[in-house]
C-alpha cells in the first residue's frame, strides 16, 4: 500500500454514533494530519499530531498515533449530519526540509439522520 | 478567519494552450504549495515554494509547470502546454511558522478542464 492509506474507504453510520477511521503509512514522519473535504470544496485542516505525541483531542475529534505500527486513527464522537465528508490523513516526512503532504485515498463518511 | 483564495474557480482550456492558475495565500504565511486531485483519485503534491524559490517538487512537476510569486500577495501556477491528463482540481495551500510546524491551509481549488 502507499503512504497514507485510510480504511475503511466508505463508512455509513447513524447520527449520534461514533465514527472511527484508520490510516497507515510507510515512511518515518515528522507529523501526521487529518483533513476533511466536502464535495467540490477544498481541504479543511482538522488536527495535527506530531511524531512524539500519542494522542490528541480537539472538540469531538480524537486522534491517536502509533509510530511503531505506522498507523493513526481518527475518532469523531457524537456524529452529526454535517460531518458527512471525505476524510484524509496526510503525512510530513521526517528529516526536515521537504514538507509536501502525502495524502491517502480517504474515507468517505456518510452520517444518516 | 483568513483564507487562501483561488481564481478562477473553473477554467476551461483547449489542449496545447497555456493556463495560469492564481492563488492569494494567507497574508503572513511564508510557505506555499500546489497540489492537484484528478477526479476520483487522491490529492497529489506538486511543488512547494519558500523564500522566492522552489524548495521541493514531485515527479509530476515537470518542465511544463512553473510557479511564480510575482508580487507580495499572489502565487501562480503556470502550465505551458496543457494536455488532456492535466484535467484536475488544483489546490493552493500556504502555512506559517510559529516556532513549530504549522498546518497547511488550502483554498477551494480551481477545476481545470482541458478539451
Amino acid at each position: 500500500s502507499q503512504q497514507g492509506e485510510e480504511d475503511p474507504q466508505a463508512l455509513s453510520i447513524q447520527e449520534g454514533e461514533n465514527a472511527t477511521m484508520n490510516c497507515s503509512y510507510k515512511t518515518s514522519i515528522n507529523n501526521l494530519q487529518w483533513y476533511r473535504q466536502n464535495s467540490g470544496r477544498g481541504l479543511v485542516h482538522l488536527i495535527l499530531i506530531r511524531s512524539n505525541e500519542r494522542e490528541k483531542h480537539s472538540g469531538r475529534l480524537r486522534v491517536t498515533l502509533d509510530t511503531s505500527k505506522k498507523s493513526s486513527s481518527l475518532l469523531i464522537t457524537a456524529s452529526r449530519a454535517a460531518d458527512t465528508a471525505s476524510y484524509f490523513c496526510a503525512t510530513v516526512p521526517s528529516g526536515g526540509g521537504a514538507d509536501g503532504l502525502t495524502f491517502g485515498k480517504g474515507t468517505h463518511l456518510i452520517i444518516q439522520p | 478567519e483568513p483564507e487562501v483564495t483561488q481564481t478562477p474557480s473553473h477554467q476551461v482550456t483547449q489542449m496545447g494552450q497555456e493556463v495560469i492558475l492564481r492563488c492569494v495565500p494567507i497574508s503572513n504565511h511564508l510557505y506555499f504549495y500546489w497540489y492537484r486531485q484528478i477526479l476520483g483519485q487522491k490529492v497529489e503534491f506538486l511543488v512547494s515554494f519558500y523564500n522566492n524559490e522552489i524548495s521541493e517538487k514531485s515527479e509530476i512537476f515537470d518542465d511544463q509547470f512553473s510557479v511564480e510569486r510575482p508580487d507580495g500577495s499572489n502565487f501562480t501556477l503556470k502550465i505551458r502546454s496543457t494536455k488532456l491528463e492535466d484535467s484536475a482540481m488544483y489546490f493552493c495551500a500556504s502555512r506559517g511558522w510559529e516556532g513549530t510546524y504549522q498546518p497547511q491551509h488550502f483554498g477551494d481549488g480551481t477545476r481545470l478542464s482541458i478539451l
Side-chain angles (χ1 to χ4, degrees), chain A residues 2-5 30-31 33 35 37 40-43 45 48 50 88 92 98-101 103-105, chain B residues 31 33 35 37 41-45 48 55-56 89 91 95 100-109 111:
Chain A
Q2 296 184 24
Q3 187 84 341
E5 290 287 330
N30 175 287
N31 64 73
Q33 303 172 47
Y35 284 83
Q37 184 181 35
R41 302 297 301 276
L43 295 135
H45 181 261
L48 180 153
R50 304 181 197 281
F88 298 88
V92 173
D99 70 335
L101 294 171
F103 284 86
K105 291 182 179 179
Chain B
Y31 302 85
Y33 309 82
Y35 294 82
Q37 185 179 31
Q41 298 187 23
K42 62 174 67 176
V43 176
E44 300 173 291
F45 167 73
S48 59
S55 47
E56 183 193 6
M89 282 289 287
F91 294 105
R95 73 173 178 91
T100 58
Y101 183 94
Q102 297 300 306
Q104 295 176 28
H105 294 264
F106 284 74
D108 276 343
R111 180 171 298 284

Side-chain angles (χ1 to χ4, degrees), chain A residues 47 57-62 75 77:
Chain A
I47 197 163
H57 297 256
S58 177
R60 293 184 296 114
L61 305 180
R62 173 178 168 255
L75 168 68
T77 60

Side-chain angles (χ1 to χ4, degrees), chain A residues 8-112:
Chain A
Q9 290 186 347
L11 179 63
S12 180
I13 61 173
Q14 295 293 124
E15 195 168 19
E17 295 180 339
N18 296 341
T20 300
M21 290 158 271
N22 302 295
C23 166
S24 61
Y25 59 92
K26 298 184 78 175
T27 62
S28 296
I29 61 170
N30 175 287
N31 64 73
L32 183 145
Q33 303 172 47
W34 285 90
Y35 284 83
R36 184 186 75 224
Q37 184 181 35
N38 290 88
S39 181
R41 302 297 301 276
L43 295 135
V44 175
H45 181 261
L46 297 176
I47 197 163
L48 180 153
I49 186 164
R50 304 181 197 281
S51 60
N52 61 352
E53 297 175 314
R54 292 297 166 258
E55 187 171 311
K56 205 162 183 181
H57 297 256
S58 177
R60 293 184 296 114
L61 305 180
R62 173 178 168 255
V63 167
T64 62
L65 179 64
D66 187 334
T67 52
S68 66
K69 295 181 179 177
K70 291 186 167 57
S71 67
S72 173
S73 68
L74 171 67
L75 168 68
I76 303 174
T77 60
S79 63
R80 305 167 181 167
D83 294 330
T84 294
S86 290
Y87 291 82
F88 298 88
C89 69
T91 55
V92 173
S94 61
D99 70 335
L101 294 171
T102 301
F103 284 86
K105 291 182 179 179
T107 293
H108 185 51
L109 176 65
I110 298 172
I111 308 299
Q112 298 182 11

Side-chain angles (χ1 to χ4, degrees), chain B residues 38-109:
Chain B
I38 296 171
L39 187 63
Q41 298 187 23
K42 62 174 67 176
V43 176
E44 300 173 291
F45 167 73
L46 294 178
V47 66
S48 59
F49 192 86
Y50 170 72
N51 200 25
N52 280 323
E53 60 183 28
I54 291 174
S55 47
E56 183 193 6
K57 59 183 180 179
S58 72
E59 292 177 353
I60 303 167
F61 193 89
D62 60 22
D63 290 345
Q64 70 163 339
F65 291 93
S66 62
V67 290
E68 193 177 30
R69 188 156 164 81
D71 52 44
S73 60
N74 292 284
F75 180 50
T76 62
L77 174 68
K78 181 192 290 186
I79 309 175
R80 263 179 270 283
S81 178
T82 50
K83 306 169 189 169
L84 293 176
E85 54 264 37
D86 293 328
S87 295
M89 282 289 287
Y90 287 81
F91 294 105
C92 173
S94 69
R95 73 173 178 91
W97 175 260
E98 296 175 11
T100 58
Y101 183 94
Q102 297 300 306
Q104 295 176 28
H105 294 264
F106 284 74
D108 276 343

